[in-house]
Amino acid sequence: MAFAPKAVITSRREAAPPPARDLEQEIALAARFVRQHVIASIYHAGSGHPGGSLSCADILATLFGAELNTWPGSPHDPMRDRFVLSKGHAAPALYAVGAHHGYCDKLASLKLRKFGSPFQGHPHIGDLPWVETSTGSLGQGFSVALGMAMGLKLQNSSARVYALLGDGELQEGEVWEGAMCAAHHKLDNFCAIIDYNKLQSDARNDEIMRLEPLAAKWRAFDWAVAEIDGHDVSALLKTFRRAGATHDRPSVIIAHTVKGKGVPYMENMPAWHGSVKLTREQADDALTALGATHKEIREYLDGV
Amino acid sequence: MASEAPALIGSSGDSLREAFGKALSGLADEFPKLVVLDADIAGGTGVHHFRKSHPERFLQFGIAEQNMMAAAGGLAAVGLLPVVTTFAVFCLRAVEQARLSLAYCKRNAMIVASHPGLDVGPDGGSAQALEDIAAFRAIPGMTVISPADPIETALATRAILEFDGPVYMRTGRSPARRVFGDDHTFEIGKGRIVRGGNDVTIVACGVEVARAVEAAQVLAEDGIHARVVNMATIKPIDAVLLERCAKETGAIVTAEDHNILGGLGGAVAESLALTYPCPIEFVGVKDVFGASGEPEELAVMFGLGSKSIAEAARRAIARKGRM
Ligand SMILES: Cc1ncc(C[n+]2csc(CCOP(=O)(O)OP(=O)(O)O)c2C)c(N)n1
Ligand SMILES: [Mg+2]
């Protein structure tokens, strides 16, 4: 499939040292920031999707904190890895992790969903170049990401492509078109992560449309499959490293998560999928549960 | 600008899809980033030529148009020049992918659709896309092109590769008549007067251009001088030329192998409503589905033939002064 003689893509990660303790702590802190920022931005917006933004916070914090070779100062560098938020409704989490790592401003990104703000309800590349592609229609980001992986491989690039999908999103036929396609083209520079929080918009996956046996489905499509706790940073780090060293097959990480993770009254409650309005009291409670101090809470909620 | 009737060179045996496929192969070396996406239909879309000449840049997506359409966005994002190819009717299946992952992201990606309209012929109503121009025209930033003959198709193929931004281009399934000579030129966004006349203007695209020229010849026998405009770019429409034609001829007929709703006729009417309202008659499929048959039989049955165009021209002329 390559233009020139096919280059063997050796992952830069194969030789990487094992993750250090303080890296894990750093990522955990970033994830906590992401969750707090998500609550604050959705509070100010008066709408948004908290449940699925909270469930993927650790995944995003790990990707941006350790796995992705991207640089906030050069969002167009051809050598960069690509990350696509295929579950685009988790935009608040993407903006938050972006703010943490310097891709955008912390305060500006609290102006979620506001008139004139580049932080739209779903990520738009026209507003924010670093989001890589516009998403919001489930299924599409995955296909765009695999197109990127295919194109990078064709050009003998060693950059990798990551896509984060929701579990409900897997009900889109397009995802399975793409799953077949990525395996057929042996896109081993491509890694999909499933935020397997067991809930979708209205109810549990099981009630809406059963996904199980999920790992078996991906295995049958000839993907390299890993199944882990999506809140375990150490497991995430190890699994990403292994995915980076996979040859001839794309990788999927089925990350078991809790929708609404970190905010007790939201956890596992379909009602907090979105698009919900948070009262001041609810936002306060959520931020407290997420470890914010009184001062931080005042800054988050009154400082804008 | 030609004021003489162009010689209709008759069937060259060459369809627009073949002209496109050959042109694409010929341009591949000049456009090293060009990649062609196929959904198991290369034999039908003309890109079998490219598959043969440049197999390393021919990307097979299987029968999965939604994934193919969105993946083109990813290929464009990493600097390649993707051309998505399938039948027009199957492009309809991926309109939303074209909308979000190509147009909204302002990707430099092309969709080239063969088998549009009644020109599909015997495959029948299920395969005859009569809605594609309307659907793609409504997407912000999407350029929509429907060339008239093999020569123009080859020129348009180069033009869309040079153009920056998402494009939807129709080719054609059936052997097409030559409308233009080898000296023809093509520019995106420009309509062309292919036959002079001051009594009425027939604005046509695709296979209807040859039929419009025929209709003008018939009208000339009755002393009616119809101007014929080849409006190969439906979006952005050549508003300047339309206004001029409306002023100079006072009546307009649109002709397209597409539903009369939302296609070329709609684009022309929208434009003239703002610049120079005048009587307009619409030749096209009248909001019904197609059927099996040979393209010429279908054209007569559905009112797309030269006779129907000539009748529409007489109606438009009769309405002059009654606005
Ligand atoms: C194609 C498409 N259909 C419907 C929707 C509306 N929608 C937004 S989020 C959602 C539920 C998604 O569930 P899941 O993928 O499990 O996301 P998560 O639980 O991680 O929030 C739906 C139906 C959409 N965005 N795109
Ligand atoms: Mg879910």
Side-chain angles (χ1 to χ4, degrees):
Chain A
M1 210 184 76
F3 284 143
K6 193 172 166 178
V8 181
I9 317 261
T10 12
S11 165
R12 285 154 291 161
R13 289 152 191 88
E14 275 171 316
R21 270 269 149 232
D22 53 350
L23 176 63
E24 286 175 30
Q25 266 156 17
E26 231 174 75
I27 291 169
L29 282 175
R32 197 175 73 173
F33 169 81
V34 167
R35 290 194 167 93
Q36 293 176 357
H37 196 277
V38 158
I39 293 299
S41 67
I42 291 174
Y43 165 73
H44 290 297
S47 69
H49 297 78
S53 297
L54 294 171
S55 62
C56 66
D58 303 295
I59 297 166
L60 289 177
T62 308
L63 275 168
F64 279 77
E67 182 65 10
L68 293 174
N69 285 312
T70 54
W71 309 277
S74 44
H76 302 292
D77 191 313
M79 296 299 289
R80 74 192 185 280
D81 289 341
R82 272 65 167 184
F83 171 73
V84 173
L85 184 72
S86 196
K87 45 170 276 184
H89 58 280
L94 181 61
Y95 301 154
V97 80
H100 185 79
H101 287 284
Y103 293 85
C104 57
D105 184 69
K106 283 183 182 162
L107 211 58
S109 54
L110 284 178
K111 289 213 170 69
L112 176 71
R113 293 174 164 247
K114 296 281 188 212
F115 180 74
S117 161
F119 300 94
Q120 293 204 54
H122 297 83
H124 178 37
I125 187 173
D127 291 328
L128 303 167
W130 60 273
V131 302
E132 302 290 358
T133 194
S134 303
T135 51
S137 175
L138 297 170
Q140 289 199 39
F142 180 63
S143 296
V144 174
L146 88 79
M148 291 174 177
M150 192 184 277
L152 288 167
K153 229 171 178 345
L154 274 171
Q155 298 175 94
N156 292 322
S157 166
S158 60
R160 291 180 57 76
V161 183
Y162 301 79
L164 178 63
L165 290 79
D167 46 11
E169 179 173 12
L170 302 182
Q171 289 155 5
E172 279 292 348
E174 182 177 354
V175 172
W176 301 99
E177 294 182 1
M180 216 184 290
C181 180
H184 177 81
H185 288 283
K186 300 186 171 24
L187 301 181
D188 51 15
N189 57 343
F190 186 35
C191 177
I193 307 109
I194 317 282
D195 183 359
Y196 198 4
N197 58 28
K198 322 296 183 299
L199 298 179
Q200 46 194 98
S201 190
D202 257 5
R204 296 180 60 81
N205 306 142
D206 280 350
E207 281 175 59
I208 303 287
M209 186 60 61
R210 182 163 56 92
L211 300 171
E212 287 293 337
L214 188 56
K217 283 190 175 74
W218 287 95
R219 259 185 223 110
F221 276 70
D222 203 21
W223 283 57
V225 182
E227 213 167 345
I228 59 166
D229 175 351
H231 302 304
D232 179 344
V233 172
S234 156
L236 280 163
L237 283 168
K238 273 187 224 126
T239 311
F240 278 127
R241 189 150 301 112
R242 211 156 359 104
T246 301
H247 290 290
D248 291 334
R249 278 192 298 167
S251 304
V252 60
I253 300 173
I254 299 175
H256 290 269
T257 58
V258 173
K259 200 156 178 170
K261 174 78 175 177
V263 179
Y265 67 86
M266 287 186 182
E267 287 189 1
N268 286 316
M269 300 292 290
W272 291 103
H273 167 74
S275 200
V276 296
K277 202 175 163 66
L278 287 174
T279 64
R280 169 74 198 215
E281 203 186 339
Q282 285 167 333
D284 213 306
D285 283 355
L287 288 171
T288 305
L290 292 168
T293 63
H294 282 305
K295 184 167 168 283
E296 284 168 337
I297 292 174
R298 267 203 310 281
E299 273 167 17
Y300 271 129
L301 303 186
D302 304 323
V304 181
Chain B
M1 216 160 281
S3 57
E4 296 291 300
L8 287 179
I9 303 167
S11 168
S12 65
D14 214 2
S15 58
L16 303 193
R17 54 185 167 137
E18 280 292 301
F20 159 69
K22 287 177 188 162
L24 203 58
S25 276
L27 290 163
D29 294 337
E30 210 179 313
F31 294 88
K33 298 289 185 189
L34 169 64
V35 289
V36 174
L37 289 69
D38 170 45
D40 189 27
I41 212 163
T45 56
V47 297
H48 58 95
H49 293 291
F50 190 92
R51 178 176 59 195
K52 198 160 171 216
S53 65
H54 296 82
E56 73 289 354
R57 283 196 266 161
F58 177 83
L59 305 178
Q60 184 56 258
F61 279 81
I63 311 163
E65 293 79 10
Q66 299 175 61
N67 180 55
M68 171 171 68
M69 191 69 82
L75 289 158
V78 297
L80 296 173
L81 195 56
V83 178
V84 175
T85 59
T86 181
F87 290 177
V89 78
F90 306 134
C91 287
L92 289 176
R93 190 192 193 100
V95 166
E96 203 227 330
Q97 280 75 11
R99 174 188 178 274
L100 178 70
S101 298
L102 301 186
Y104 191 41
C105 297
K106 292 202 164 85
R107 295 297 183 204
N108 195 13
M110 286 128 286
I111 307 159
V112 179
S114 71
H115 293 61
L118 300 178
D119 181 65
V120 169
D123 273 356
S126 83
Q128 293 160 351
L130 296 167
E131 312 83 358
D132 56 322
I133 293 177
F136 283 92
R137 192 166 79 81
I139 299 175
M142 184 69 74
T143 294
V144 179
I145 297 171
S146 176
D149 85 343
I151 298 270
E152 187 166 71
T153 300
L155 293 169
T157 302
R158 164 184 287 282
I160 63 172
L161 293 179
E162 286 170 349
F163 183 78
D164 190 17
V167 176
Y168 178 82
M169 181 168 95
R170 268 185 161 193
T171 63
R173 174 227 169 222
S174 302
R177 286 186 285 182
R178 284 269 301 270
V179 178
F180 304 111
D182 292 334
D183 58 346
H184 183 58
T185 58
F186 173 83
E187 194 184 332
I188 292 174
K190 287 274 182 283
R192 287 286 170 77
I193 299 173
V194 297
R195 181 186 166 105
N198 282 322
D199 295 329
V200 61
T201 303
I202 305 167
V203 181
C205 66
V207 290
E208 290 298 289
V209 176
R211 292 185 183 129
V213 170
E214 246 172 33
Q217 285 162 353
V218 171
L219 289 164
E221 287 164 20
D222 290 345
I224 298 172
H225 302 289
R227 179 182 295 184
V228 177
V229 167
N230 170 33
M231 195 60 87
T233 308
I234 295 129
K235 184 186 174 186
I237 197 94
D238 189 343
V240 172
L241 179 63
L242 285 175
E243 181 179 3
R244 191 184 124 205
C245 291
K247 278 181 183 155
E248 290 173 359
T249 70
I252 302 280
V253 173
T254 63
E256 62 197 307
D257 187 359
H258 186 272
N259 194 336
I260 50 166
L261 305 181
L264 173 68
V268 169
E270 287 157 18
S271 180
L272 287 176
L274 297 175
T275 56
Y276 199 84
C278 70
I280 307 178
E281 292 284 328
F282 304 99
V283 171
V285 178
K286 288 160 194 68
D287 203 21
V288 292
F289 290 103
S292 278
E294 287 308 316
E296 285 308 319
E297 297 171 328
L298 294 169
V300 172
M301 176 179 162
F302 286 90
L304 264 62
S306 55
K307 204 160 151 259
S308 301
I309 298 173
E311 282 163 11
R314 290 179 212 275
R315 285 199 304 275
I317 291 169
R319 285 171 54 204
K320 281 194 202 182
R322 281 203 264 130
M323 292 269 296

